[in-house]
Amino acid sequence: MVDIQTKRVYEPYEEDDGYRVLVDRLWPRGLTKERVHYDEWDRSLAPSTATRKAFGHKAQNWDGFAAAYTAELDANPKAAAFADRLAQGGHPKVTLLYAAHDQERNQAVILKRWLDARIERAQKAA
């Protein structure tokens, strides 16, 4: 089983972060590519612009955002392929990087939950 964690992209790189994947559609403000220290930037894992804007990082919009983004992930073959790749191993630890200020209400939290569930189902089926 792969260990998936989330982390603000503005926090310092640590050796035990494992494979670091930036999951924002937009590049984080004020950071250079060298400072981010990422292994992959996968914009296809980010919520659509319309879904992100509807959320507006407002707590009252969280449940709707979570439902809409989860539906997008369910319909996204690239997200499914990413999950399958993680399930096959190769990266025992993965860190999903995001730029949002709120550490509890951001797309990486939803993506982590979605990936964990999908990988668990794939491993049970194997």
Side-chain angles (χ1 to χ4, degrees):
M1 183 93 176
V2 62
D3 177 20
I4 301 172
Q5 69 177 5
T6 63
K7 185 176 188 177
R8 279 196 83 220
V9 70
Y10 298 99
E11 293 178 34
Y13 163 78
E14 296 176 279
E15 291 255 346
D16 70 344
D17 284 345
Y19 190 75
R20 293 168 48 104
V21 182
L22 179 61
V23 296
D24 284 350
R25 188 168 302 279
L26 305 173
W27 186 258
R29 291 182 186 185
L31 293 180
T32 63
K33 291 185 178 184
E34 294 75 29
R35 183 164 173 225
V36 171
H37 192 90
Y38 64 101
D39 296 297
E40 181 177 350
W41 179 17
D42 194 338
R43 295 174 195 86
S44 71
L45 298 174
S48 69
T49 301
T51 299
R52 179 179 51 84
K53 287 184 176 183
F55 173 40
H57 297 283
K58 295 179 182 167
Q60 65 267 27
N61 298 339
W62 174 249
D63 291 338
F65 172 70
Y69 180 37
T70 299
E72 288 179 358
L73 289 169
D74 288 340
N76 182 345
K78 291 183 180 180
F82 181 78
D84 292 345
R85 185 167 43 116
L86 293 183
Q88 293 171 4
H91 301 295
K93 188 167 188 179
V94 174
T95 299
L96 305 175
L97 302 170
Y98 64 92
H101 291 286
D102 191 332
Q103 296 182 9
E104 296 175 12
R105 292 184 199 93
N106 64 70
Q107 80 275 8
V109 170
I110 297 165
L111 178 59
K112 178 194 179 324
R113 189 177 341 156
W114 185 86
L115 288 168
D116 284 342
R118 185 165 180 106
I119 290 167
E120 184 178 337
R121 281 192 309 270
Q123 290 177 339
K124 283 182 181 178

